[in-house]
Amino acid sequence: HRHLLGIEPLKPHEITAILDLADEYVALNRRPEKHSDVLAGLTQINMFFENSTRTQASFELAGKRLGADVMNMAMQASSIKKGETLIDTAMTLNAMHPDLLVVRHPHSGAVDLLAQKVNCAVLNAGDGKHEHPTQALLDALTIRRSKGRLHRLNIAICGDIAHSRVARSNLILLGKMENRIRLIGPPTLVPGQFAEFGAEIYDDMREGLKDVDVVMMLRLQKERMDGGFIPSEREYYHRYGLDADKLAQAKPDAIVMHPGPMNRGVEIDGTLADDINRSVIQEQVEMGVAVRMAAMDLLARNLRAERQAKAG
Ligand code: CP
């Protein structure tokens, strides 16, 4: 592949290859001397048109740990504010010969569109409600390391599925790896069309959590609810907030995940989120750096091979 725009085009063996390489980068990142130069001589530009803490910081660290020259575009201070379009901005940067472009954008499909216009590899860091492929890959790595496998697990994805690119990418990835997926939430946030992904839908959280191996919580994405139904936080927490009592329905060794940013007391109890015996939220962040290193390493190999073939 030239780009990483979504999980959709990836085959199961390609997902496994990314996770295997990411495992090697987890080991490297834990060593006091963290040195690799697989991206030396390459330029990585990060363009975030939407807020980010984890994804932006981990892509930057990942590029630096692999020896790339990394530039973070301050989109709030860019000429986008003067009316320049996304494509004109991308073409301007393309003329500076970057090798890797990491892009987050509020509109679904914007990153795909941009990838068609530039000569470098593009990594989707989240586009609207569409996909967030590196998030699904880091979640998969966290599950595989915690459970020892990434197939035939019962996995519950809970909360605001309708507005979540994280849920979409995870549904695609975990489905490709032959897991059984349950979607839990109120019907307004879990539209019936999600059954197309082969998932079972529950609006009763306790019933949905019965005997699951993995509980993945999601944030209420009010910024994407534009005028639609917004549940009251109190009522939502009562019915769909994960606490120790509801978690007791899951397997005793079930893990609790959250992609972040989390809203304590809305979708998850703060004490449970901090419980290192159940919560793997910090591991997810650690895996994020390794997965992004693996993804950029593999795309850079393809890019170099393509350029060598062209050079003849
Ligand atoms: N999980 C995630 O994408 O977090 P950020 O929005 O902070 O990057």
Side-chain angles (χ1 to χ4, degrees):
H1 300 270
R2 156 69 91 85
H3 308 295
L4 178 59
L5 300 175
I7 298 297
E8 191 75 67
L10 299 182
K11 297 189 173 70
H13 75 87
E14 292 172 325
I15 293 168
T16 302
I18 299 170
L19 301 187
D20 290 348
L21 182 58
D23 259 330
E24 291 178 31
Y25 282 124
V26 175
L28 177 84
N29 288 339
R30 286 181 180 180
R31 288 209 290 268
E33 291 289 320
K34 305 171 182 66
H35 187 76
S36 163
D37 57 4
V38 299
L39 298 186
L42 299 185
T43 303
Q44 172 191 337
I45 302 181
N46 298 333
M47 298 167 72
F48 281 69
F49 294 89
E50 225 184 40
N51 293 352
S52 171
T53 296
R54 283 145 285 270
T55 313
Q56 201 268 336
S58 60
F59 263 116
E60 180 176 354
L61 255 185
K64 287 180 172 163
R65 288 204 178 144
L66 296 178
D69 295 314
V70 184
M71 188 181 99
N72 287 305
M73 280 291 295
M75 299 319 300
Q76 293 303 319
S78 75
S79 286
I80 288 272
K81 294 279 164 209
K82 300 178 194 164
E84 189 164 45
T85 66
L86 168 70
I87 297 304
D88 285 339
T89 306
M91 295 309 289
T92 302
L93 292 172
N94 189 53
M96 300 179 197
H97 301 293
D99 304 289
L100 298 152
L101 265 187
V102 178
V103 187
R104 169 171 286 190
H105 198 278
H107 295 145
S108 305
V111 184
D112 289 46
L113 187 69
L114 185 149
Q116 292 165 27
K117 307 279 180 189
V118 296
N119 301 322
C120 58
V122 176
L123 293 102
N124 181 1
D127 65 324
K129 295 188 272 183
H130 178 227
E131 280 233 38
H132 192 352
T134 55
Q135 179 70 47
L137 288 162
L138 77 86
D139 289 338
L141 185 62
T142 307
I143 295 170
R144 194 175 79 165
R145 289 172 67 98
S146 198
K147 294 280 148 204
R149 67 182 202 276
L150 189 59
H151 59 274
R152 294 198 186 176
L153 292 165
N154 290 312
I155 299 173
I157 307 179
C158 311
D160 184 1
I161 313 289
H163 302 98
S164 177
R165 56 196 176 209
V166 174
R168 221 168 161 277
S169 288
N170 264 304
L171 266 166
I172 300 168
L173 190 155
L174 296 169
K176 280 180 195 268
M177 305 312 272
E178 298 183 3
N179 294 284
R180 288 179 291 265
I181 302 163
R182 300 180 193 173
L183 299 177
I184 304 174
T188 42
L189 298 179
V190 189
Q193 78 222 40
F194 280 87
E196 277 171 27
F197 288 97
E200 289 172 42
I201 295 179
Y202 292 83
D203 63 4
D204 182 319
M205 192 172 193
R206 286 171 204 276
E207 203 185 313
L209 288 179
K210 264 199 180 90
D211 297 325
V212 298
D213 300 286
V214 175
V215 185
M216 200 179 273
M217 300 308 300
L218 298 171
R219 181 175 64 88
L220 273 184
Q221 302 194 56
K222 292 184 182 168
E223 73 275 21
R224 295 194 208 288
M225 293 183 188
D226 44 42
F229 170 75
I230 300 182
S232 102
E233 289 187 357
R234 224 177 121 99
E235 172 72 4
Y236 185 80
Y237 182 69
H238 176 67
R239 294 196 59 191
Y240 298 106
L242 186 68
D243 56 16
D245 186 48
K246 295 193 191 86
L247 183 63
Q249 300 293 321
K251 285 191 182 157
D253 62 350
I255 55 170
V256 173
M257 305 179 73
H258 195 306
M262 68 181 148
N263 290 136
R264 292 168 184 262
V266 180
E267 72 268 3
I268 190 164
D269 169 55
T271 309
L272 180 57
D274 297 333
D275 179 356
I276 54 166
N277 295 313
R278 305 307 296 269
S279 163
V280 293
I281 294 170
Q282 295 306 318
E283 280 87 334
Q284 287 174 268
V285 178
E286 182 186 7
M287 296 310 123
V289 180
V291 152
R292 286 159 183 138
M293 290 167 86
M296 290 198 289
D297 178 353
L298 292 169
L299 289 183
R301 291 182 207 185
N302 295 345
L303 195 67
R304 284 186 167 125
E306 189 185 310
R307 286 173 179 172
Q308 246 171 10
K310 261 193 199 147

